[in-house]
Amino acid sequence: MSVYDFTTAPRRDMDEALKWKIMKEKKPDVREGIVPFSIADMEFANPPEIREGLTEYLQTAVLGYQTAGPAFYEAVGSWTKRRYGREVRPEWLITTPGVVNALFHGVTAFAEEGEGVIVMPPVYPPFYRAVERTGRRLVRCALREEDGRYVIDYEKMEELAAQEENKVLLFCSPHNPTGRVWSREELTRLGEICLRHGVFIISDEIHCDLIMPGHTFTSFAAVSGELERNTMTCISPSKTFNLAGLETSIAIVPDPERMRALKRRMACAGQEGRVNALGYKACEIAYTRCDEWLSQVLEVIYENHRALKAFLGERCPQIRVFPLEGTYLQWLDLRAFGWTKEEQERRMEEADLFLDEGYIFGPEGEGFERINLACPKNILMEALERLKRV
């Protein structure tokens, strides 16, 4: 068994990494060595199997117009089957440059202008943009907090789904930013509401590989054959293996008519379902050779969660730490301090803490912070010391 290095952080401030660029735009004089904890990519090197595999591929590859080949389809199918028990066929798959790209295409394919798209805030900000920037109507079904855990408001969902003009549910599973991994029972109940009222489901499952001990991920489409036909599933190796820069994601659409509608919309937008040649190859390598790397990185992330929870419980008990069931994104409640969102953001930046402010996930997130745990533990603990001083 290989042992991977999760204690050394690469120097990403030297390679035009987006989160560093944003940090320096906010605070040009930020001191050297500060690591931002905002955008969801990892402060770990990519799996060596991917680096080595791409190096070998580049010795003979011609980087022209590429398409998905048998090895790619086989890798994706093998991954979903052995990890989640879901069999997918090649004709159900279409690649896009990212899950956000797929969400935009899905919203325009399955809801007309002015029709409603249901979201469950607080939620990943591109969900709002995918609805509002395409002329669809944003319909909010906020999650409820019960016993320190977020849950679905089924009564509200039933009410909204019953309204004929609401056509699509844009669903986040596992949920970003709250870290919820939805149970099969929760998905079944939600799915039955959608089926009963003819609401199509677009399920963003980009974090599905990042599941913490004691929890099991269930793909929405795997709950039943009926739900499979009523769901567009979006997955990607980008979060799991730190490959966001290769812009390779997969939409799974089993219903042939729905797939035709999606392809028509993509064609109208000049997107033909191709991604870059290195993305195809990196995805293939990740899904066939990197299981052990993933297993080890999950241990590191969960240990970081436990260390954060212990530190804040002892040193900053006013900060409420939500359970981390999935993702590597920790949701924190700082509302006990009574700060306005502007004051909270200013205090964080003054302390060289560059997190994702809770308000970007919707008004329901005001007073919260989202912190990225995919980093060496010593970097996280240094940041927590700064947070304690705030």
mmCIF file of all heavy atoms in Angstrom, residues 178-217:
data_model
loop_
_atom_site.group_PDB
_atom_site.id
_atom_site.type_symbol
_atom_site.label_atom_id
_atom_site.label_comp_id
_atom_site.label_asym_id
_atom_site.label_seq_id
_atom_site.Cartn_x
_atom_site.Cartn_y
_atom_site.Cartn_z
ATOM 1 N N THR A 178 -23.653 22.822 4.158
ATOM 2 C CA THR A 178 -23.964 22.310 5.499
ATOM 3 C C THR A 178 -23.305 20.972 5.815
ATOM 4 O O THR A 178 -23.289 20.558 6.975
ATOM 5 C CB THR A 178 -25.481 22.172 5.692
ATOM 6 O OG1 THR A 178 -25.967 21.096 4.866
ATOM 7 C CG2 THR A 178 -26.203 23.462 5.329
ATOM 8 N N GLY A 179 -22.809 20.264 4.778
ATOM 9 C CA GLY A 179 -22.139 18.991 5.017
ATOM 10 C C GLY A 179 -23.067 17.807 5.216
ATOM 11 O O GLY A 179 -22.611 16.724 5.593
ATOM 12 N N ARG A 180 -24.373 17.981 4.945
ATOM 13 C CA ARG A 180 -25.304 16.865 5.099
ATOM 14 C C ARG A 180 -25.113 15.817 4.003
ATOM 15 O O ARG A 180 -24.966 16.123 2.837
ATOM 16 C CB ARG A 180 -26.755 17.365 5.033
ATOM 17 C CG ARG A 180 -27.371 17.849 6.340
ATOM 18 C CD ARG A 180 -27.394 16.818 7.455
ATOM 19 N NE ARG A 180 -27.753 15.485 7.017
ATOM 20 C CZ ARG A 180 -28.995 15.022 6.893
ATOM 21 N NH1 ARG A 180 -30.023 15.815 7.167
ATOM 22 N NH2 ARG A 180 -29.214 13.777 6.515
ATOM 23 N N VAL A 181 -25.182 14.545 4.417
ATOM 24 C CA VAL A 181 -25.294 13.413 3.492
ATOM 25 C C VAL A 181 -26.704 12.876 3.673
ATOM 26 O O VAL A 181 -27.053 12.346 4.733
ATOM 27 C CB VAL A 181 -24.237 12.338 3.797
ATOM 28 C CG1 VAL A 181 -24.485 11.090 2.955
ATOM 29 C CG2 VAL A 181 -22.834 12.882 3.523
ATOM 30 N N TRP A 182 -27.514 13.013 2.642
ATOM 31 C CA TRP A 182 -28.928 12.661 2.751
ATOM 32 C C TRP A 182 -29.095 11.137 2.789
ATOM 33 O O TRP A 182 -28.464 10.421 2.023
ATOM 34 C CB TRP A 182 -29.716 13.240 1.581
ATOM 35 C CG TRP A 182 -29.483 14.702 1.393
ATOM 36 C CD1 TRP A 182 -28.791 15.304 0.375
ATOM 37 C CD2 TRP A 182 -29.922 15.766 2.249
ATOM 38 N NE1 TRP A 182 -28.773 16.660 0.547
ATOM 39 C CE2 TRP A 182 -29.455 16.977 1.687
ATOM 40 C CE3 TRP A 182 -30.666 15.813 3.427
ATOM 41 C CZ2 TRP A 182 -29.711 18.214 2.271
ATOM 42 C CZ3 TRP A 182 -30.920 17.033 4.024
ATOM 43 C CH2 TRP A 182 -30.446 18.223 3.443
ATOM 44 N N SER A 183 -29.943 10.659 3.657
ATOM 45 C CA SER A 183 -30.198 9.221 3.774
ATOM 46 C C SER A 183 -31.118 8.758 2.652
ATOM 47 O O SER A 183 -31.813 9.553 2.015
ATOM 48 C CB SER A 183 -30.845 8.910 5.127
ATOM 49 O OG SER A 183 -32.169 9.432 5.162
ATOM 50 N N ARG A 184 -31.139 7.453 2.419
ATOM 51 C CA ARG A 184 -32.046 6.895 1.417
ATOM 52 C C ARG A 184 -33.504 7.228 1.761
ATOM 53 O O ARG A 184 -34.310 7.518 0.870
ATOM 54 C CB ARG A 184 -31.850 5.374 1.324
ATOM 55 C CG ARG A 184 -32.786 4.687 0.328
ATOM 56 C CD ARG A 184 -32.462 3.217 0.202
ATOM 57 N NE ARG A 184 -31.224 2.999 -0.522
ATOM 58 C CZ ARG A 184 -31.128 2.852 -1.838
ATOM 59 N NH1 ARG A 184 -32.231 2.914 -2.588
ATOM 60 N NH2 ARG A 184 -29.965 2.654 -2.413
ATOM 61 N N GLU A 185 -33.825 7.221 3.042
ATOM 62 C CA GLU A 185 -35.196 7.529 3.457
ATOM 63 C C GLU A 185 -35.548 8.978 3.119
ATOM 64 O O GLU A 185 -36.660 9.264 2.637
ATOM 65 C CB GLU A 185 -35.364 7.279 4.961
ATOM 66 C CG GLU A 185 -35.319 5.824 5.380
ATOM 67 C CD GLU A 185 -33.910 5.212 5.283
ATOM 68 O OE1 GLU A 185 -32.906 5.967 5.366
ATOM 69 O OE2 GLU A 185 -33.822 3.967 5.101
ATOM 70 N N GLU A 186 -34.632 9.900 3.360
ATOM 71 C CA GLU A 186 -34.884 11.303 3.034
ATOM 72 C C GLU A 186 -35.061 11.488 1.531
ATOM 73 O O GLU A 186 -35.957 12.208 1.077
ATOM 74 C CB GLU A 186 -33.738 12.174 3.545
ATOM 75 C CG GLU A 186 -33.698 12.319 5.051
ATOM 76 C CD GLU A 186 -32.443 13.024 5.529
ATOM 77 O OE1 GLU A 186 -31.317 12.569 5.187
ATOM 78 O OE2 GLU A 186 -32.560 14.025 6.249
ATOM 79 N N LEU A 187 -34.198 10.848 0.768
ATOM 80 C CA LEU A 187 -34.283 10.966 -0.686
ATOM 81 C C LEU A 187 -35.577 10.350 -1.221
ATOM 82 O O LEU A 187 -36.196 10.885 -2.153
ATOM 83 C CB LEU A 187 -33.074 10.296 -1.335
ATOM 84 C CG LEU A 187 -31.710 10.919 -1.037
ATOM 85 C CD1 LEU A 187 -30.598 10.057 -1.621
ATOM 86 C CD2 LEU A 187 -31.614 12.343 -1.579
ATOM 87 N N THR A 188 -35.969 9.231 -0.646
ATOM 88 C CA THR A 188 -37.210 8.579 -1.084
ATOM 89 C C THR A 188 -38.410 9.494 -0.872
ATOM 90 O O THR A 188 -39.245 9.675 -1.772
ATOM 91 C CB THR A 188 -37.415 7.256 -0.318
ATOM 92 O OG1 THR A 188 -36.315 6.375 -0.597
ATOM 93 C CG2 THR A 188 -38.713 6.590 -0.730
ATOM 94 N N ARG A 189 -38.483 10.085 0.297
ATOM 95 C CA ARG A 189 -39.620 10.971 0.602
ATOM 96 C C ARG A 189 -39.624 12.194 -0.315
ATOM 97 O O ARG A 189 -40.667 12.578 -0.855
ATOM 98 C CB ARG A 189 -39.560 11.397 2.064
ATOM 99 C CG ARG A 189 -40.771 12.202 2.509
ATOM 100 C CD ARG A 189 -40.731 12.477 4.002
ATOM 101 N NE ARG A 189 -41.853 13.316 4.409
ATOM 102 C CZ ARG A 189 -42.018 13.789 5.639
ATOM 103 N NH1 ARG A 189 -41.134 13.470 6.592
ATOM 104 N NH2 ARG A 189 -43.061 14.557 5.934
ATOM 105 N N LEU A 190 -38.453 12.803 -0.514
ATOM 106 C CA LEU A 190 -38.353 13.961 -1.397
ATOM 107 C C LEU A 190 -38.665 13.572 -2.835
ATOM 108 O O LEU A 190 -39.374 14.286 -3.553
ATOM 109 C CB LEU A 190 -36.953 14.571 -1.293
ATOM 110 C CG LEU A 190 -36.662 15.792 -2.159
ATOM 111 C CD1 LEU A 190 -37.598 16.946 -1.801
ATOM 112 C CD2 LEU A 190 -35.202 16.220 -1.993
ATOM 113 N N GLY A 191 -38.137 12.435 -3.265
ATOM 114 C CA GLY A 191 -38.370 11.972 -4.628
ATOM 115 C C GLY A 191 -39.831 11.695 -4.912
ATOM 116 O O GLY A 191 -40.329 11.992 -6.008
ATOM 117 N N GLU A 192 -40.528 11.139 -3.937
ATOM 118 C CA GLU A 192 -41.958 10.861 -4.120
ATOM 119 C C GLU A 192 -42.742 12.150 -4.335
ATOM 120 O O GLU A 192 -43.676 12.204 -5.137
ATOM 121 C CB GLU A 192 -42.494 10.100 -2.912
ATOM 122 C CG GLU A 192 -42.024 8.656 -2.872
ATOM 123 C CD GLU A 192 -42.405 7.944 -1.582
ATOM 124 O OE1 GLU A 192 -42.872 8.643 -0.632
ATOM 125 O OE2 GLU A 192 -42.245 6.706 -1.509
ATOM 126 N N ILE A 193 -42.364 13.211 -3.629
ATOM 127 C CA ILE A 193 -43.020 14.514 -3.825
ATOM 128 C C ILE A 193 -42.793 15.000 -5.253
ATOM 129 O O ILE A 193 -43.735 15.443 -5.929
ATOM 130 C CB ILE A 193 -42.486 15.542 -2.803
ATOM 131 C CG1 ILE A 193 -42.907 15.164 -1.394
ATOM 132 C CG2 ILE A 193 -42.972 16.948 -3.159
ATOM 133 C CD1 ILE A 193 -42.279 16.018 -0.296
ATOM 134 N N CYS A 194 -41.560 14.902 -5.728
ATOM 135 C CA CYS A 194 -41.242 15.366 -7.080
ATOM 136 C C CYS A 194 -41.981 14.549 -8.137
ATOM 137 O O CYS A 194 -42.524 15.105 -9.103
ATOM 138 C CB CYS A 194 -39.739 15.300 -7.310
ATOM 139 S SG CYS A 194 -38.794 16.489 -6.325
ATOM 140 N N LEU A 195 -42.033 13.250 -7.966
ATOM 141 C CA LEU A 195 -42.738 12.399 -8.927
ATOM 142 C C LEU A 195 -44.240 12.679 -8.923
ATOM 143 O O LEU A 195 -44.885 12.705 -9.972
ATOM 144 C CB LEU A 195 -42.481 10.925 -8.604
ATOM 145 C CG LEU A 195 -41.061 10.407 -8.870
ATOM 146 C CD1 LEU A 195 -40.892 9.009 -8.298
ATOM 147 C CD2 LEU A 195 -40.738 10.418 -10.355
ATOM 148 N N ARG A 196 -44.765 12.907 -7.754
ATOM 149 C CA ARG A 196 -46.201 13.138 -7.623
ATOM 150 C C ARG A 196 -46.636 14.397 -8.380
ATOM 151 O O ARG A 196 -47.735 14.460 -8.926
ATOM 152 C CB ARG A 196 -46.551 13.256 -6.134
ATOM 153 C CG ARG A 196 -48.015 13.294 -5.828
ATOM 154 C CD ARG A 196 -48.322 12.808 -4.422
ATOM 155 N NE ARG A 196 -47.547 13.468 -3.386
ATOM 156 C CZ ARG A 196 -46.670 12.829 -2.589
ATOM 157 N NH1 ARG A 196 -46.450 11.530 -2.730
ATOM 158 N NH2 ARG A 196 -46.015 13.482 -1.657
ATOM 159 N N HIS A 197 -45.732 15.381 -8.447
ATOM 160 C CA HIS A 197 -46.110 16.668 -9.036
ATOM 161 C C HIS A 197 -45.363 16.979 -10.333
ATOM 162 O O HIS A 197 -45.449 18.097 -10.836
ATOM 163 C CB HIS A 197 -45.869 17.773 -8.012
ATOM 164 C CG HIS A 197 -46.680 17.627 -6.761
ATOM 165 N ND1 HIS A 197 -48.054 17.787 -6.750
ATOM 166 C CD2 HIS A 197 -46.317 17.293 -5.491
ATOM 167 C CE1 HIS A 197 -48.498 17.580 -5.500
ATOM 168 N NE2 HIS A 197 -47.469 17.267 -4.734
ATOM 169 N N GLY A 198 -44.635 16.004 -10.881
ATOM 170 C CA GLY A 198 -43.973 16.215 -12.160
ATOM 171 C C GLY A 198 -42.820 17.199 -12.118
ATOM 172 O O GLY A 198 -42.572 17.926 -13.087
ATOM 173 N N VAL A 199 -42.094 17.232 -11.010
ATOM 174 C CA VAL A 199 -40.917 18.103 -10.872
ATOM 175 C C VAL A 199 -39.668 17.295 -11.213
ATOM 176 O O VAL A 199 -39.416 16.242 -10.617
ATOM 177 C CB VAL A 199 -40.810 18.675 -9.441
ATOM 178 C CG1 VAL A 199 -39.507 19.435 -9.250
ATOM 179 C CG2 VAL A 199 -42.006 19.580 -9.153
ATOM 180 N N PHE A 200 -38.895 17.780 -12.181
ATOM 181 C CA PHE A 200 -37.671 17.091 -12.585
ATOM 182 C C PHE A 200 -36.530 17.459 -11.635
ATOM 183 O O PHE A 200 -36.442 18.607 -11.161
ATOM 184 C CB PHE A 200 -37.302 17.472 -14.020
ATOM 185 C CG PHE A 200 -36.143 16.692 -14.576
ATOM 186 C CD1 PHE A 200 -36.273 15.345 -14.876
ATOM 187 C CD2 PHE A 200 -34.911 17.299 -14.792
ATOM 188 C CE1 PHE A 200 -35.209 14.613 -15.376
ATOM 189 C CE2 PHE A 200 -33.837 16.579 -15.294
ATOM 190 C CZ PHE A 200 -33.982 15.230 -15.591
ATOM 191 N N ILE A 201 -35.649 16.501 -11.366
ATOM 192 C CA ILE A 201 -34.572 16.687 -10.389
ATOM 193 C C ILE A 201 -33.229 16.811 -11.109
ATOM 194 O O ILE A 201 -32.875 15.957 -11.925
ATOM 195 C CB ILE A 201 -34.518 15.497 -9.410
ATOM 196 C CG1 ILE A 201 -35.844 15.351 -8.661
ATOM 197 C CG2 ILE A 201 -33.357 15.659 -8.423
ATOM 198 C CD1 ILE A 201 -36.063 13.973 -8.069
ATOM 199 N N ILE A 202 -32.499 17.866 -10.794
ATOM 200 C CA ILE A 202 -31.099 17.989 -11.206
ATOM 201 C C ILE A 202 -30.287 17.880 -9.926
ATOM 202 O O ILE A 202 -30.344 18.759 -9.064
ATOM 203 C CB ILE A 202 -30.815 19.318 -11.923
ATOM 204 C CG1 ILE A 202 -31.692 19.457 -13.173
ATOM 205 C CG2 ILE A 202 -29.339 19.422 -12.286
ATOM 206 C CD1 ILE A 202 -31.563 20.810 -13.863
ATOM 207 N N SER A 203 -29.550 16.797 -9.781
ATOM 208 C CA SER A 203 -28.844 16.497 -8.534
ATOM 209 C C SER A 203 -27.347 16.705 -8.710
ATOM 210 O O SER A 203 -26.678 15.959 -9.430
ATOM 211 C CB SER A 203 -29.137 15.059 -8.095
ATOM 212 O OG SER A 203 -28.586 14.796 -6.826
ATOM 213 N N ASP A 204 -26.825 17.735 -8.054
ATOM 214 C CA ASP A 204 -25.389 18.019 -8.051
ATOM 215 C C ASP A 204 -24.736 17.114 -7.010
ATOM 216 O O ASP A 204 -24.874 17.334 -5.805
ATOM 217 C CB ASP A 204 -25.167 19.497 -7.712
ATOM 218 C CG ASP A 204 -23.700 19.847 -7.490
ATOM 219 O OD1 ASP A 204 -22.832 18.966 -7.660
ATOM 220 O OD2 ASP A 204 -23.415 21.010 -7.138
ATOM 221 N N GLU A 205 -24.018 16.092 -7.493
ATOM 222 C CA GLU A 205 -23.399 15.112 -6.596
ATOM 223 C C GLU A 205 -21.875 15.153 -6.691
ATOM 224 O O GLU A 205 -21.199 14.137 -6.545
ATOM 225 C CB GLU A 205 -23.977 13.729 -6.888
ATOM 226 C CG GLU A 205 -25.493 13.699 -6.680
ATOM 227 C CD GLU A 205 -26.168 12.358 -6.891
ATOM 228 O OE1 GLU A 205 -25.453 11.364 -7.185
ATOM 229 O OE2 GLU A 205 -27.416 12.286 -6.769
ATOM 230 N N ILE A 206 -21.338 16.354 -6.899
ATOM 231 C CA ILE A 206 -19.902 16.492 -7.107
ATOM 232 C C ILE A 206 -19.088 16.068 -5.881
ATOM 233 O O ILE A 206 -17.942 15.644 -6.008
ATOM 234 C CB ILE A 206 -19.554 17.944 -7.517
ATOM 235 C CG1 ILE A 206 -18.129 18.016 -8.097
ATOM 236 C CG2 ILE A 206 -19.720 18.907 -6.350
ATOM 237 C CD1 ILE A 206 -17.793 19.345 -8.743
ATOM 238 N N HIS A 207 -19.684 16.153 -4.687
ATOM 239 C CA HIS A 207 -18.970 15.774 -3.459
ATOM 240 C C HIS A 207 -19.269 14.337 -3.025
ATOM 241 O O HIS A 207 -18.956 13.956 -1.893
ATOM 242 C CB HIS A 207 -19.350 16.728 -2.325
ATOM 243 C CG HIS A 207 -18.879 18.141 -2.516
ATOM 244 N ND1 HIS A 207 -17.594 18.552 -2.214
ATOM 245 C CD2 HIS A 207 -19.517 19.228 -2.992
ATOM 246 C CE1 HIS A 207 -17.472 19.841 -2.482
ATOM 247 N NE2 HIS A 207 -18.612 20.279 -2.961
ATOM 248 N N CYS A 208 -19.837 13.526 -3.902
ATOM 249 C CA CYS A 208 -20.338 12.210 -3.479
ATOM 250 C C CYS A 208 -19.237 11.258 -3.029
ATOM 251 O O CYS A 208 -19.520 10.300 -2.296
ATOM 252 C CB CYS A 208 -21.148 11.572 -4.601
ATOM 253 S SG CYS A 208 -20.207 11.139 -6.082
ATOM 254 N N ASP A 209 -18.004 11.488 -3.455
ATOM 255 C CA ASP A 209 -16.907 10.595 -3.051
ATOM 256 C C ASP A 209 -16.346 10.952 -1.687
ATOM 257 O O ASP A 209 -15.558 10.184 -1.119
ATOM 258 C CB ASP A 209 -15.769 10.665 -4.076
ATOM 259 C CG ASP A 209 -16.224 10.352 -5.484
ATOM 260 O OD1 ASP A 209 -17.006 9.401 -5.641
ATOM 261 O OD2 ASP A 209 -15.817 11.058 -6.422
ATOM 262 N N LEU A 210 -16.718 12.121 -1.162
ATOM 263 C CA LEU A 210 -16.107 12.670 0.050
ATOM 264 C C LEU A 210 -17.047 12.471 1.234
ATOM 265 O O LEU A 210 -17.663 13.400 1.743
ATOM 266 C CB LEU A 210 -15.777 14.145 -0.164
ATOM 267 C CG LEU A 210 -14.821 14.395 -1.342
ATOM 268 C CD1 LEU A 210 -14.885 15.839 -1.811
ATOM 269 C CD2 LEU A 210 -13.392 14.012 -0.956
ATOM 270 N N ILE A 211 -17.150 11.223 1.673
ATOM 271 C CA ILE A 211 -18.106 10.835 2.707
ATOM 272 C C ILE A 211 -17.345 10.424 3.971
ATOM 273 O O ILE A 211 -16.399 9.633 3.911
ATOM 274 C CB ILE A 211 -19.003 9.682 2.220
ATOM 275 C CG1 ILE A 211 -19.651 10.045 0.888
ATOM 276 C CG2 ILE A 211 -20.052 9.342 3.281
ATOM 277 C CD1 ILE A 211 -20.512 11.285 0.899
ATOM 278 N N MET A 212 -17.768 10.968 5.098
ATOM 279 C CA MET A 212 -17.071 10.743 6.353
ATOM 280 C C MET A 212 -17.514 9.438 7.026
ATOM 281 O O MET A 212 -18.582 8.892 6.696
ATOM 282 C CB MET A 212 -17.323 11.929 7.293
ATOM 283 C CG MET A 212 -16.787 13.258 6.772
ATOM 284 S SD MET A 212 -14.995 13.270 6.468
ATOM 285 C CE MET A 212 -14.939 13.364 4.667
ATOM 286 N N PRO A 213 -16.717 8.912 7.963
ATOM 287 C CA PRO A 213 -17.046 7.650 8.639
ATOM 288 C C PRO A 213 -18.430 7.696 9.279
ATOM 289 O O PRO A 213 -18.848 8.712 9.842
ATOM 290 C CB PRO A 213 -15.952 7.536 9.705
ATOM 291 C CG PRO A 213 -14.796 8.311 9.152
ATOM 292 C CD PRO A 213 -15.409 9.452 8.398
ATOM 293 N N GLY A 214 -19.132 6.580 9.160
ATOM 294 C CA GLY A 214 -20.458 6.472 9.752
ATOM 295 C C GLY A 214 -21.584 6.903 8.845
ATOM 296 O O GLY A 214 -22.760 6.825 9.230
ATOM 297 N N HIS A 215 -21.248 7.335 7.627
ATOM 298 C CA HIS A 215 -22.276 7.803 6.698
ATOM 299 C C HIS A 215 -22.116 7.084 5.360
ATOM 300 O O HIS A 215 -21.015 6.695 4.974
ATOM 301 C CB HIS A 215 -22.193 9.316 6.516
ATOM 302 C CG HIS A 215 -22.419 10.059 7.793
ATOM 303 N ND1 HIS A 215 -23.666 10.336 8.278
ATOM 304 C CD2 HIS A 215 -21.530 10.538 8.705
ATOM 305 C CE1 HIS A 215 -23.554 10.976 9.432
ATOM 306 N NE2 HIS A 215 -22.269 11.105 9.712
ATOM 307 N N THR A 216 -23.227 6.935 4.660
ATOM 308 C CA THR A 216 -23.246 6.257 3.369
ATOM 309 C C THR A 216 -23.934 7.148 2.356
ATOM 310 O O THR A 216 -25.033 7.657 2.614
ATOM 311 C CB THR A 216 -24.006 4.918 3.468
ATOM 312 O OG1 THR A 216 -23.361 4.094 4.436
ATOM 313 C CG2 THR A 216 -24.028 4.201 2.122
ATOM 314 N N PHE A 217 -23.289 7.322 1.213
ATOM 315 C CA PHE A 217 -23.880 8.141 0.162
ATOM 316 C C PHE A 217 -24.810 7.297 -0.696
ATOM 317 O O PHE A 217 -24.478 6.176 -1.094
ATOM 318 C CB PHE A 217 -22.798 8.755 -0.720
ATOM 319 C CG PHE A 217 -23.363 9.481 -1.913
ATOM 320 C CD1 PHE A 217 -23.929 10.726 -1.767
ATOM 321 C CD2 PHE A 217 -23.366 8.887 -3.166
ATOM 322 C CE1 PHE A 217 -24.488 11.388 -2.854
ATOM 323 C CE2 PHE A 217 -23.905 9.538 -4.269
ATOM 324 C CZ PHE A 217 -24.471 10.789 -4.102
#
